[in-house]
Structure formats: C-alpha cells, structure tokens
Amino acid sequence: MTQEKIILDGHKLLWHRERVDAWLRGERVAPITIDCALTRACTYRCVYCYGQLQENDVKRMTKDVIFRFLDDAAEIGVKAISFVSDGESTCSPHLYDAILRGRTNGLDMALGTNGYLLRDERLEEILPALTYLRFNLSAATPGRYAEIHGCDQAAFLKVVDTIRKCVTIKQESTLEVTLGLQMVLLPEFRDQILPLAGLGRDLGVDYLVIKHCSDDEQSSLGVDYSKYFDLIDLLKEAEAYSTDAYLVKAKWSKILSGGKRPYSRCYGPPLIMQLSGSGLVAPCGMLFNDRYKKYHIGNIADTSFKDLWKGERYWEVMNLISSEQFDARSMCGSLCLQHKVNEFLWELKQGLTSFSEPPCARPMHCNFI
C-alpha cells in the first residue's frame, strides 16, 4: 500500500477530465461522487461531531426512497456512492440491501461507520460489494474511546472484534475491498496518535488516515487550528509505522492549513456533493442546517433525485455558490469534503493550473474523488 496507489490527502479529478471539461463548458453534469447517509440517527455522541451542527427537517428514508435514489444515481451517470454523511448509516435497517442494490446498479459503493451496529453475520455478504469500508476510530483504548466517542467502553471491544473479522474475511476470500481506520484528530487527542497507528498495524487493516476536525463559521466546536502545528513531529512518527502492507497518513494539507481556504467560490458540489440522512439534497454538508434553507434543493423522499438534478432549483443553487454572491471563506464551515476539489477547480478557473497527465496509473478508489 503506497501513496501512489491510494490518495488520502488530495483529489482524483485528473482521472476524470471528461467530466471536468464538460463542467467547464457549462454543461449540467452529474456528480462523480455522492456522499450520503441513510439516517440522521447515531449511536454515539462524539465530542467533535459536526452532525450536531447539521439539523434539518427529517423525512422517512424508506427502502423504496433509498432504492429509487440509487437507481437514479446510476441512470444519470454518478459513479460512486459513499454512505458517509451526517448520520450513522448502520442505524438504518436498509443499509445492507442498499449496498447490494448500488453495486448491482454498477455503482462503486463505500461505507464509513463507527462499526458498533455493523452486523458481523452480514460481513461476508457486503464486503465483496464495497470498494472500501472505513471505521471511524479516534482512540486506541476502551477508556479514551468512551470519552471521545460518547459511548460505553464495551463498544470499543465490539468494534475491534468486528474489524478483526473483516480482515479475516478479506484475507480468506482474497477480496479487493480496502479496510481502513480514520482518526478525527483534535489536539487534545495527541495521546492516542501513536497507539492508534500501532493498533491499525496489529489489526491488519490497509491504512489509518489521521484528519483534521471541521468547524462551522461560528467556530461552534471551538477547534483551535493553531495547535495542530505542535503535533507535526508526533504525526511524522505515526507515519513511520507504515509498512509495505499498511499505510499511516496524516492529511497534512488540511491539518496545516490553519482552517483557511485559499478560494472564495465553491465549484466542487456539481462533481462531489452530499445528501443528508434526512433525505435533504444540498450542495454540501456545511449547508444542511435549516438556517441555510436558501441553498436547499429538495428532498429525495418527496421528489426523485433524477428530477431534482434535472430541475432548475438544483442548478440555481449550484450557480449561486459559485458566484460573487457567495464567499466560501466566510459563509460556510472550514475544510469541507469538497475542499481539495475546490482548490483545484479554483486554480483551473483562475488559470493558475492546467490539466496535466496523471502522476500514476488509475489509483485506488478512483471514483471517490
């Protein structure tokens, strides 16, 4: 596992030039990737949770609604769906069927989860259908895990056991699915950085990615981005735990950004967008909250995603956030899902960069841009 094979701190638009060129020409393109949740519910109360800042009207995400969305996504040209958003999708009774439906439709499917409700007896069924399965794990001991994730200490033991089962199934069945861990890092979690790097290696997963914590424009979570700079040596030490089969990677570009954006307009959502676990369609998770209703497009429980995508409201909102009427530096939260895509598209539109030959062959998870 090398950085050339898996990109954990960057974007993959260089491998999707046809879609980007169509966007540059002003065509109404389908997203390459959609991040979404199947519910806004969650079993944990993580201290860094951005989901608490994303409250909006909840609709019932039935199996029919979810299947219609997955069918629409495949029909209009979406390439990948990741069940990663503002809720814990394992709380939905339809998760397993949704993964299989999406894969049957030809979509690349992925899941990010705390893992607590993930049913071990369904792992052999869903692992072959997933491009990646990522466990959100920000501590390496039961006590610290309970403190950080807002759950019982016993949850840590269950999740670790499930990860071990996934690794065993992958190895015994020689599956291509990538198994990863993600640490959401706040400076006060520094004591868990090296233990987590060691735990991931011991469990046999493919990678551990260490990422920043996003905050909204009011700094509701109180993230002090200046303190990340004190962790540079520790993060480099963690990356040294990497082996030929295991990668530890800090998202340096965001961790050392100071929480700042170099661009003012938001160009990314037409290519990588997010849906709330409520069914809400909005450009990104930063704009899910009801106070951002001017950017809300509709809800897939009321209207099919295909019809929303074809509708004028969808493109009115996309044009608004890419106009002078919107300033991404002050009107939404920090370091969003679209951040690296936004950086590239901003430089492309400004003439500061151009399309170059990709630095390597098609990377892993290429459709999750």
Side-chain angles (χ1 to χ4, degrees), residues 3-14:
Q3 177 64 12
E4 287 72 32
K5 294 179 182 178
I6 184 166
I7 298 173
L8 296 174
D9 185 19
H11 66 86
K12 308 182 189 80
L13 286 181
L14 294 180

Side-chain angles (χ1 to χ4, degrees), residues 25 176 194 235:
R25 292 192 299 267
E176 294 184 1
L194 296 183
L235 290 170

Side-chain angles (χ1 to χ4, degrees), residues 135 137 158-167 181 203 205:
F135 292 87
L137 192 74
K158 189 277 174 189
V159 171
V160 168
D161 186 59
T162 295
I163 295 170
R164 286 198 178 99
K165 286 183 170 66
C166 289
V167 171
L181 308 180
L203 289 173
V205 297

Side-chain angles (χ1 to χ4, degrees), residues 26-90:
E27 297 179 20
R28 295 185 171 186
V29 299
I32 300 166
T33 308
I34 296 178
D35 269 29
C36 58
L38 301 180
T39 176
R40 289 209 73 247
C42 188
T43 49
Y44 286 9
R45 292 293 180 268
C46 302
V47 298
Y48 54 76
C49 180
Y50 199 94
Q52 63 184 293
L53 309 178
Q54 297 171 306
E55 291 289 342
N56 60 82
D57 293 337
V58 175
K59 300 283 185 175
R60 189 160 177 258
M61 292 282 279
T62 65
K63 184 176 179 178
D64 287 344
V65 168
I66 295 166
F67 275 25
R68 182 177 67 182
F69 162 68
L70 293 168
D71 294 349
D72 284 347
E75 182 179 340
I76 70 173
V78 176
K79 297 183 178 182
I81 301 287
S82 50
F83 291 139
V84 183
S85 188
D86 59 341
E88 173 55 54
S89 288
T90 57

Side-chain angles (χ1 to χ4, degrees), residues 192-227:
Q192 294 301 300
I193 294 174
L194 296 183
L196 260 175
L199 177 63
R201 187 171 62 185
D202 293 344
L203 289 173
V205 297
D206 297 304
Y207 70 83
L208 164 68
V209 61
I210 304 171
K211 70 183 290 287
H212 65 291
C213 180
S214 294
D215 208 342
D216 67 6
E217 66 271 35
Q218 284 89 33
S219 298
S220 298
L221 298 178
V223 182
D224 186 346
Y225 290 101
S226 68
K227 291 185 177 179

Side-chain angles (χ1 to χ4, degrees), residues 138-141 144 147-148 183 185-196 231 234:
S138 293
T141 62
R144 287 292 275 142
E147 293 171 3
I148 292 170
M183 179 188 195
L185 177 63
L186 284 173
E188 52 266 37
F189 302 166
R190 63 180 299 147
D191 63 303
Q192 294 301 300
I193 294 174
L194 296 183
L196 260 175
L231 304 178
L234 198 57

